[in-house]
Amino acid sequence: MTHDLAATQEFYGALFGWEFRPGPEQLGPYVRALLDGMEVAGIGRLPADRHLPIAWTTYLATDDADATAEAVRHCGGTVGVGPIDAGEAGRLAIASDPAGAVFGIWQAAAHQGTAVLGSPGTPVWNELLTRETASVLKFYQSVFGCTEEAVVSADFDHVTLRVDGRPVASVHGLGQALPRDRGPHWMTYFEVADVDEALDRAVELGGYVIEQAKAGDHGRTATVADPEGAVFALVHSPDDA
């Protein structure tokens, strides 16, 4: 969600090679981002009187948005929007977990979600950054039925969430290192062919660097913000990932 829809399209179109076409407008003006004609993301415009943080929203799938929204409330979370129908595409809600991290709930109908995976310019991973994992894991397990696989380490609080044995997201407890100006939040990772080049390109287009590029177990990553302040990560995954 952004304030300047045209400028945001220009930024991500130049950074990721996206093209755009109109999508459902139940929440206001909205476009779908396309890569080689395939849907990979969505961008909506906030009403002028809504001074909300500009951010990417991770959507978690469900077979029943209404039942999941009720489970969110029952397990200590908050539902801020919906559930509402998004035309023939599906049914959605916007919620937050007990620590305050905002996420979407998506019950697919005509629109399943990202149509191409793994190519440069596509979202490839989602990670919840929070103070500590233990307090929110039970929430996501109860609401979405996922299981956990923890990294056993005295100084690294990190858990992978799995559905039917398949890794779908991760939760990273940052403790006091969690940015105070953002609080707990979901982070979207976008695949790129070259992290350093993409980082330089993002800055040229008016974005700014949050974390410089670095190598890790899951590839080379960097964190950047777009011109309106929406934070996201760039990653070049290992060839065997």
Side-chain angles (χ1 to χ4, degrees):
M1 301 298 291
T2 184
H3 289 304
D4 191 333
L5 189 57
T8 301
Q9 290 178 74
E10 185 175 345
F11 174 84
Y12 287 101
L15 181 62
F16 292 139
W18 291 350
E19 297 178 337
F20 301 90
R21 71 179 176 205
E25 295 191 357
Q26 275 72 15
L27 295 178
Y30 176 83
V31 295
R32 292 237 175 92
L34 309 177
L35 189 66
D36 297 327
M38 306 287 281
E39 296 172 342
V40 295
I43 302 174
R45 188 177 72 201
L46 286 168
D49 60 347
R50 297 294 298 273
H51 301 289
L52 299 173
I54 306 302
W56 283 98
T57 303
T58 294
Y59 279 80
L60 304 176
T62 178
D63 292 328
D64 188 330
D66 295 82
T68 299
E70 186 58 34
V72 166
R73 297 186 186 98
H74 180 74
C75 294
T78 301
V79 178
V81 176
I84 60 172
D85 288 326
E88 297 179 351
R91 190 163 172 79
L92 68 87
I94 304 295
S96 59
D97 67 25
V102 174
F103 62 93
I105 297 166
W106 182 252
Q107 178 186 337
H111 177 62
Q112 293 294 317
T114 301
V116 56
L117 300 173
S119 301
T122 65
V124 292
W125 192 246
N126 291 284
E127 182 173 63
L128 173 60
L129 303 176
T130 191
R131 288 184 178 84
E132 47 89 19
T133 62
S135 62
V136 295
L137 280 176
K138 290 182 180 180
F139 171 83
Y140 288 99
Q141 290 170 333
S142 298
V143 174
F144 293 101
C146 52
T147 59
E148 63 177 88
E149 178 186 336
V151 174
V152 179
S153 172
D155 56 359
F156 190 60
D157 185 13
H158 191 275
V159 175
T160 299
L161 299 179
R162 294 177 175 268
V163 173
D164 297 328
R166 180 172 59 92
V168 295
S170 54
V171 183
H172 191 181
L174 295 177
Q176 295 302 313
L178 184 71
R180 291 191 177 185
D181 59 335
R182 299 198 65 206
H185 60 279
W186 280 90
M187 177 76 76
T188 303
Y189 285 73
F190 291 93
E191 185 75 25
V192 293
D194 187 304
V195 169
D196 298 87
E197 288 184 5
L199 199 59
D200 290 342
R201 181 65 171 146
V203 173
E204 291 173 2
L205 294 167
Y208 52 95
V209 178
I210 304 296
E211 289 187 8
Q212 292 286 351
K214 61 183 179 181
D217 293 340
H218 302 290
R220 190 165 178 79
T221 63
T223 307
V224 66
D226 70 18
E228 285 202 40
V231 178
F232 59 99
L234 305 168
V235 60
H236 178 67
S237 303
D239 293 337
D240 59 351

